[in-house]
Amino acid sequence: MTHSVLPIAPEAEVIEKTFAQLKARAPHQRALTAKQRIARLDALYDEVWKRRDDLKRAMWNDFRKPSEEVDLTEIFVVKSEIKAVKRSLRKWMRPKRLPSGLAHVGSASWVCPEAKGVALIISPWNYPMQLVFRPLIAALAAGCTAMIKPSELTGETAQLVAEIVSVAFNPDEVAVVQGGVETATHMLNLPFNHIYFTGSPAVGKIVMEAAAQHPCSVTLELGGKSPVIIDDMKSMRDVAKKVAWAKLSNAGQICVAPDYVFVPANREADFVTAIKQEMVDMYPGEASANKDYQRIVAPHHAERISKLVDDATARGAKCVMGGDVDLDSCFVPPTVLTNIDPNAEILEDEIFGPVLPIIPYASLDEAIRFVNDRPTPLALYVFSKRKRFVDSVLSQIQSGGVSINNCVIHVSSNHLPFGGLGNSGIGSGHGKYGYMEFTHFRGVYEQRFDGAGALLMPPYTPWKTKLIDRLLRWL
Ligand code: NAD
């Protein structure tokens, strides 16, 4: 099945031709049975597995991603998503009979899930394989053909993604188009049937505007600032361990990384001691020399994070750990900030790096108000053993998803929907929810024998008027 990989940043005509092929194939793809769709997913995983070592090498070169984390957060995620789809796809695809009302006597109704058609998947760099393949799995399960644009910032992985796809699929079924903003802009001019975008809120708005020109449905998996609210816990060690892991994994480059932490004012010192200890335990020695500690993807992102830290410290924040960024090697150490000015940029912009601001609170209402004064977060984390505390936080703060007494982990579930609200996104992915994004639920009505409908057509004779009146009173 192997076909050649498209050149990087191809001419607009090449993108248009590729789109035309995907569109021509779409009706055939839509008609595939569950068994045939599952065979496509198996072909994808077989190729991913064969290229496991290459993927590890590529992600190390792209941003020094530890090999174990390629296994855990890229390959395993793809495997488990495929497993979840295989387990339930037949059930999801089955048309569902629905009741007919009295007004529809003599008919049958059902809802039929159908592929939307040609999907566009645009992905970011922070999980450069799973954020391409997880939506692709959903698109293929739904029966769509797909064009994919991986991020140009993780170029080696993008090339491997293109090679994997070129072996697993025909070019009219799935096509990878590599490139940057210009390439993505060409793609967005085409009349796709669904766009699944994962990336920043700023680019999400551009995607939504482009989709309005066709128009087509969108899933926007965006980012934002995900807060952690900690109750007055007996011990801060366990909380600190979970927050440290979630903040430093992938060097904080996770859309649902804990962005900032609220801790009771009288426990701030305990939490600071605990989190510093946990960070050191997780990455002992010099973090820059620790093979498990990742780099920031590109110098301009390292510089952006460095400026956030500088702005905070210039406004009086205390850097109680880390802080010394090395732009040449894109290294940002585990960094903890306290005493932060509420107007500091670090409390406005998504950090997307291993820097943790800690904010003390005197009352829970104060923390809730602070979060609600900002755009709706993608994730919300609450640590407490008291149900009332948890209920208070959950009922008063909206968010895309929630983990209680843990961080980030809800994202790995294939059963829970994953998506944001407002600034953090539109729609949801993962498992059945991903399948539904690429599916149109077509309502079908069949008139099997005529009911009362014909009696209610014009001309409205006096007895028909009377009948309508009776029906209205009776129904
Ligand atoms: P980004 O928005 O800069 O880029 C994402 C993709 O969009 C890339 O493929 C890029 O080439 C493309 N792109 C960039 N500018 C474009 C334009 N003007 N028109 C069309 N396409 C364009 O995001 P990023 O820096 O790659 O990723 C980081 C962001 O993604 C963070 O905000 C993070 O929170 C978010 N994110 C969200 C999720 C999620 O599932 N909700 C997952 C990962 C990352």
Side-chain angles (χ1 to χ4, degrees):
M1 201 183 271
T2 311
H3 59 86
S4 56
V5 169
L6 290 174
I8 295 175
E11 301 286 325
E13 299 87 76
V14 175
I15 301 175
E16 282 159 25
K17 195 172 150 222
T18 307
F19 175 79
Q21 287 176 337
L22 295 167
K23 190 173 155 73
R25 159 95 189 182
H28 175 73
Q29 194 80 1
R30 183 179 294 129
L32 295 183
T33 61
K35 193 174 167 198
Q36 290 167 318
R37 294 180 194 188
I38 285 169
R40 301 295 194 274
L41 302 183
D42 285 338
L44 173 64
Y45 189 70
D46 283 351
E47 210 40 46
V48 166
W49 184 248
K50 272 189 221 153
R51 307 298 299 267
R52 183 179 173 201
D53 288 340
D54 296 336
L55 284 162
K56 289 181 174 187
R57 202 172 310 114
M59 284 185 231
W60 179 264
N61 292 341
D62 278 335
F63 56 162
R64 276 195 50 170
K65 183 161 178 136
S67 141
E68 293 80 358
E69 290 183 21
V70 175
D71 275 342
L72 289 171
T73 68
E74 303 277 354
I75 296 175
F76 173 72
V77 171
V78 170
K79 183 175 187 171
S80 77
E81 185 74 23
I82 290 177
K83 256 189 156 170
V85 169
K86 284 170 74 169
R87 209 179 304 124
S88 306
L89 184 59
R90 284 179 183 81
K91 195 168 83 199
W92 299 342
M93 285 174 67
R94 227 171 271 147
K96 195 167 164 233
R97 273 295 288 270
L98 296 170
S100 295
L102 254 186
H104 301 123
V105 169
S107 75
S109 303
W110 63 98
V111 63
C112 204
E114 292 192 348
K116 284 186 178 171
V118 192
L120 172 62
I121 296 169
I122 301 182
S123 304
W125 47 265
N126 61 325
Y127 287 93
M129 184 182 80
Q130 67 125 310
L131 291 177
V132 170
F133 287 154
R134 218 170 176 177
L136 177 65
I137 292 162
L140 291 168
C144 289
T145 57
M147 187 183 281
I148 294 169
K149 198 201 84 63
S151 173
E152 68 280 21
L153 290 188
T154 36
E156 284 204 27
T157 312
Q159 177 64 23
L160 262 180
V161 162
E163 287 171 19
I164 288 169
V165 164
S166 73
V167 177
F169 303 101
N170 284 315
D172 61 351
E173 200 173 13
V174 184
V176 176
V177 179
Q178 298 181 68
V181 176
E182 203 182 323
T183 305
T185 307
H186 287 317
M187 294 161 111
L188 286 173
N189 284 332
L190 298 168
F192 285 94
N193 303 107
H194 186 76
I195 304 178
Y196 196 108
F197 171 80
T198 309
S200 60
V203 180
K205 287 177 195 160
I206 296 171
V207 170
M208 201 163 173
E209 231 178 287
Q213 307 309 313
H214 313 319
C216 79
S217 51
V218 291
T219 308
L220 301 178
E221 297 280 10
L222 310 178
K225 296 179 82 62
S226 300
V228 183
I229 301 181
I230 303 170
D231 194 4
D232 191 354
M233 312 284 281
K234 218 178 193 170
S235 160
M236 286 291 173
R237 281 303 292 267
D238 179 58
V239 183
K241 191 185 190 74
K242 288 167 177 161
V243 174
W245 168 74
K247 187 69 194 181
L248 299 185
S249 175
N250 226 40
Q253 301 163 111
I254 311 179
C255 55
V256 285
D259 195 272
Y260 57 95
V261 172
F262 268 109
V263 64
N266 61 338
R267 304 299 306 281
E268 186 184 10
D270 288 349
F271 183 73
V272 168
T273 308
I275 194 119
K276 282 168 66 178
Q277 188 59 52
E278 292 300 335
M279 287 181 168
V280 170
D281 287 353
M282 237 166 254
Y283 299 96
E286 283 295 321
S288 59
N290 192 316
K291 71 167 181 52
D292 296 341
Y293 191 73
Q294 209 171 316
R295 292 296 178 270
I296 301 302
V297 73
H300 68 276
H301 276 290
E303 193 177 358
R304 177 186 59 75
I305 298 166
S306 174
K307 280 184 177 160
L308 290 178
V309 175
D310 290 348
D311 172 75
T313 48
R315 293 169 191 260
K318 235 172 106 188
C319 196
V320 294
M321 181 172 181
D324 293 326
V325 176
D326 179 31
L327 294 183
D328 291 337
S329 61
C330 293
F331 171 72
V332 179
T335 299
V336 179
L337 298 172
T338 59
N339 194 40
I340 302 150
D341 182 314
N343 297 315
E345 287 166 20
I346 203 153
L347 297 185
E348 292 299 325
D349 302 339
E350 180 182 10
I351 300 171
F352 221 60
V355 180
L356 186 68
I358 296 173
I359 311 172
Y361 68 86
S363 75
L364 180 59
D365 285 349
E366 186 188 316
I368 291 172
R369 236 186 345 266
F370 182 96
V371 178
N372 284 340
D373 281 347
R374 285 157 177 75
T376 313
L378 183 57
L380 171 64
Y381 304 118
V382 51
F383 284 85
S384 178
K385 297 290 175 214
R386 296 188 295 154
K387 187 174 177 310
R388 263 182 56 193
F389 186 93
V390 173
D391 288 348
S392 248
V393 172
L394 263 56
S395 64
Q396 294 182 71
I397 300 178
Q398 282 192 305
S399 69
V402 174
S403 279
I404 301 163
N405 293 323
N406 213 333
C407 287
V408 170
I409 211 75
H410 62 289
V411 176
S412 60
S413 168
N414 305 114
H415 302 282
L416 287 173
F418 176 67
L421 203 64
N423 196 62
S424 55
I426 293 176
S428 298
H430 299 185
K432 186 175 184 187
Y433 296 93
Y435 165 83
M436 282 164 52
E437 291 293 290
F438 291 96
T439 301
H440 169 61
F441 290 89
R442 178 148 79 162
V444 184
Y445 177 91
E446 184 186 356
Q447 197 68 58
R448 296 202 164 153
F449 56 88
D450 281 342
L455 293 176
L456 303 177
M457 290 174 189
Y460 297 117
T461 55
W463 83 267
K464 281 189 186 175
T465 310
K466 211 168 182 177
L467 180 65
I468 291 170
D469 181 66
R470 287 272 158 85
L471 281 173
L472 205 59
R473 288 169 194 278
W474 179 55
L475 286 174

